[in-house]
Amino acid sequence: MSVHHHIKHITAVSVGTPPNGYSYEGWKTTEVHFHGFAGLPSACGEIVVSPEFTCCGHQWRLELCPGGDDKSPREMIAVYLKLCSSGKIFVEYSLVVEDTVYYDWEALFSCGEDYG
């Protein structure tokens, strides 16, 4: 029997000079796991929705289209971060995909958006 130990270390790196008063301490991390990815629906436009979760005082969910959608290039997945609660918020977020067999992960993109 083998036991795999998975240690995750996240390091913040700034490119350019952060604005006065900027702090990484306000950043929150929420992990959403889509298990059994190979068995998820693979037709274009089919959506798998995560349960709602709370982050930064708001309710969110992830919508994953394993087979992509009409806006994604062929053979690409589509992932949407949806604000479920009312109000306005600007968020900066990243999507990270982790290979649970080899315990490797890769940041796919990072962006900022206004919600609400």
Side-chain angles (χ1 to χ4, degrees):
M1 181 173 136
S2 64
V3 176
H4 296 279
H5 296 284
H6 184 219
I7 300 171
K8 189 179 293 182
H9 177 76
I10 299 174
T11 303
V13 177
S14 288
V15 177
T17 305
N20 288 337
Y22 185 81
S23 170
Y24 292 109
E25 291 186 29
W27 286 78
K28 307 286 185 220
T29 299
T30 301
E31 293 185 1
V32 178
H33 300 263
F34 288 90
H35 299 285
F37 187 84
L40 295 177
S42 60
C44 182
E46 288 193 69
I47 300 172
V48 179
V49 179
S50 76
E52 287 188 14
F53 56 91
T54 301
C55 188
C56 300
H58 293 272
Q59 290 296 114
W60 305 89
R61 73 173 183 246
L62 280 180
E63 294 182 357
L64 171 68
C65 300
D69 64 9
D70 60 345
K71 299 176 207 155
S72 58
R74 189 174 170 181
E75 297 184 9
M76 296 287 190
I77 67 170
V79 181
Y80 297 96
L81 176 64
K82 296 288 187 168
L83 177 64
C84 299
S85 56
S86 61
K88 292 186 85 168
I89 186 171
F90 176 81
V91 296
E92 294 179 345
Y93 61 94
S94 297
L95 173 67
V96 175
V97 174
E98 182 175 22
D99 180 338
T100 58
V101 174
Y102 297 103
Y103 297 105
D104 189 21
W105 60 276
E106 180 176 344
L108 297 182
F109 69 86
S110 208
C111 68
E113 274 187 59
D114 280 309
Y115 285 87

